Amino acid sequence: MKIAKIELGEIRIPLVTPFKTALRTVDSVNDIVVRITADDGREGFGEAPATAVITGDTKGSIVTAVRDFIAPAITGMDIEDMDGIMGRLHKCIVKNTSAKAAVDMAVYDLYAKNLNRPLYKILGGGQDAIETDITISVNDTEEMVRDSLRGVEQGFRILKVKVGKDGTGDVERIAAIRQAVGKDIVIRVDANQGWQPKEAVRIIRAMEDKGLDIDLVEQPVNAHDFEGMKYVTSQVFTPVLADESVFSPQDAIRLIWEGAADLINIKLMKTGGIYEALKICGIAESFGVECMTGCMLESKLAVSAAAHLAAARGVITRHDLDGPALCRTDPYEGGPVFAGAQITMTEEPGIGITKVPAVFA
Ligand code: MG
């Protein structure tokens, strides 16, 4: 089976409520989709959001990277030559991880379809279902409490609460949420680089002193401040999860070596796809470091690829794959079943998505 054609399209899905973090506010998923057609007519699909504030990728840069660099580099290659395809994919252009991720997942989709197996089974696949948290956006306390209670009503047992916009006010917000949802709900906190190192320690210790029982604090300080990450990690009991600090396997090695976090958040849009994500899984596993898998504002297509990876690898113990839960509609057919917090894998070959409603060219 050879790669015959790589085409691009666009998909837009409104969100249930606007997505607000310390870095941005967005009201719809608006992503580039990739379709790879093989010489036997079978199709593989991938998706990339333009998350400029995190990856630096814009819609224009994703389109240009795929159309002018990646497609010419891998078209005509045999889908069984995964090693060769990935070598070219990652060498033909540096950075551009979202564009690479979209193509990488479409390649894996075809690779698994060629073997007539679900992707997660090929990647190592033990679990046939995983549980995701749901993100609570940064708002005033009342609204965040309301959103948290709605999440719990919908069956989510794990909340990932966005903070980092106004320092110590964050402690009160989390305290109000804990009070409202009770002690059995898991609360994770994501500061999206919003704190200074000493400020982070003060806030996290305050949460610890109040007994708020926080599962983890994600990316408390600036992505490039490994010293700051290390300082926070060493000064608090709550586990620190690196997100924006770790894009590549090299970042993961440095982070673990320097003791700059307790956990690593793997996102396909940061790694450039499943191939590099598997390397981070291997590195983390070797050092006994657990991982989370997360997503950007992605719809079911890209999140399904991440779900296959997560279901396959035991080192990924936490799942933040709520992209589809935040979308107002699901325009796809096939693939893993997203029902509230529960993501159930299916036996369809590849990623499983059979219909992507976009105009490809
Ligand atoms: Mg994060």
Side-chain angles (χ1 to χ4, degrees), residues 1 3 6 34-36 43-46 70 74 78-83 85-86 89 100-114 119 274-275 350-351:
M1 186 201 264
I3 295 173
I6 301 179
V34 169
R35 178 172 70 186
I36 300 183
E43 296 173 336
F45 296 104
I70 300 170
I74 66 170
D78 196 313
I79 205 73
E80 288 188 343
D81 182 15
M82 180 61 85
D83 189 60
I85 292 171
M86 291 300 155
L89 171 72
K100 288 173 181 171
V103 175
D104 163 287
M105 66 182 74
V107 168
Y108 270 100
D109 190 16
L110 273 178
Y111 184 78
K113 279 174 178 161
N114 190 42
L119 179 55
I274 293 167
Y275 193 75
I351 292 171

Side-chain angles (χ1 to χ4, degrees), residues 16 29 35 84 92 118 133 170 199 226 276 308 329 331 335 346 349 353:
V16 178
V29 164
R35 178 172 70 186
C92 71
D133 59 25
D170 287 331
E199 180 187 21
F226 274 48
E276 295 295 296
H308 276 277
T329 55
T346 63
I353 304 257

Side-chain angles (χ1 to χ4, degrees), residues 36-247:
I36 300 183
T37 308
D39 57 354
D40 67 356
R42 275 188 282 184
E43 296 173 336
F45 296 104
E47 175 192 359
T51 318
V53 288
I54 296 174
T55 62
D57 300 322
T58 65
K59 273 207 248 173
S61 73
I62 293 167
V63 168
T64 303
V66 174
R67 190 189 55 205
D68 298 348
F69 293 86
I70 300 170
I74 66 170
T75 301
M77 293 186 81
D78 196 313
I79 205 73
E80 288 188 343
D81 182 15
M82 180 61 85
D83 189 60
I85 292 171
M86 291 300 155
R88 288 201 194 171
L89 171 72
H90 287 279
K91 280 196 191 94
C92 71
I93 185 169
V94 299
K95 302 187 190 285
N96 287 280
T97 50
S98 303
K100 288 173 181 171
V103 175
D104 163 287
M105 66 182 74
V107 168
Y108 270 100
D109 190 16
L110 273 178
Y111 184 78
K113 279 174 178 161
N114 190 42
L115 297 170
N116 203 28
R117 300 291 292 144
L119 179 55
Y120 78 102
K121 291 271 169 89
I122 290 168
L123 298 177
Q127 312 156 79
D128 49 19
I130 54 177
E131 181 178 358
T132 180
D133 59 25
I134 187 146
T135 301
I136 306 300
S137 283
V138 175
N139 278 304
D140 59 47
T141 306
E142 222 170 276
E143 196 167 346
M144 291 177 79
V145 167
R146 214 164 39 232
D147 289 347
S148 299
L149 288 171
R150 192 183 312 131
V152 171
E153 267 165 37
Q154 289 166 349
F156 290 91
R157 297 185 301 177
I158 311 166
L159 305 175
K160 189 168 114 166
V161 184
K162 295 288 189 181
V163 293
K165 261 192 162 172
D166 87 296
T168 42
D170 287 331
V171 181
E172 297 314 316
R173 273 197 201 93
I174 301 298
I177 292 171
R178 170 57 78 203
Q179 165 112 40
V181 300
K183 63 175 174 40
D184 294 337
I185 299 297
V186 175
I187 297 180
R188 298 170 180 159
V189 168
D190 188 356
N192 285 105
Q193 315 176 56
W195 299 325
Q196 295 299 315
K198 287 187 176 178
E199 180 187 21
V201 170
R202 195 175 70 234
I203 293 168
I204 298 166
R205 282 189 184 166
M207 291 182 191
E208 290 172 350
D209 291 345
K210 278 179 180 278
L212 299 184
D213 191 21
I214 303 304
D215 178 50
L216 59 87
V217 173
E218 186 167 338
Q219 199 64 49
V221 304
N222 190 277
H224 303 293
D225 186 5
F226 274 48
E227 272 299 312
M229 287 288 284
K230 182 180 176 179
Y231 172 75
V232 176
T233 302
S234 66
Q235 294 297 315
V236 300
F237 292 109
T238 309
V240 172
L241 170 75
D243 182 7
E244 290 94 323
S245 287
V246 176
F247 272 55

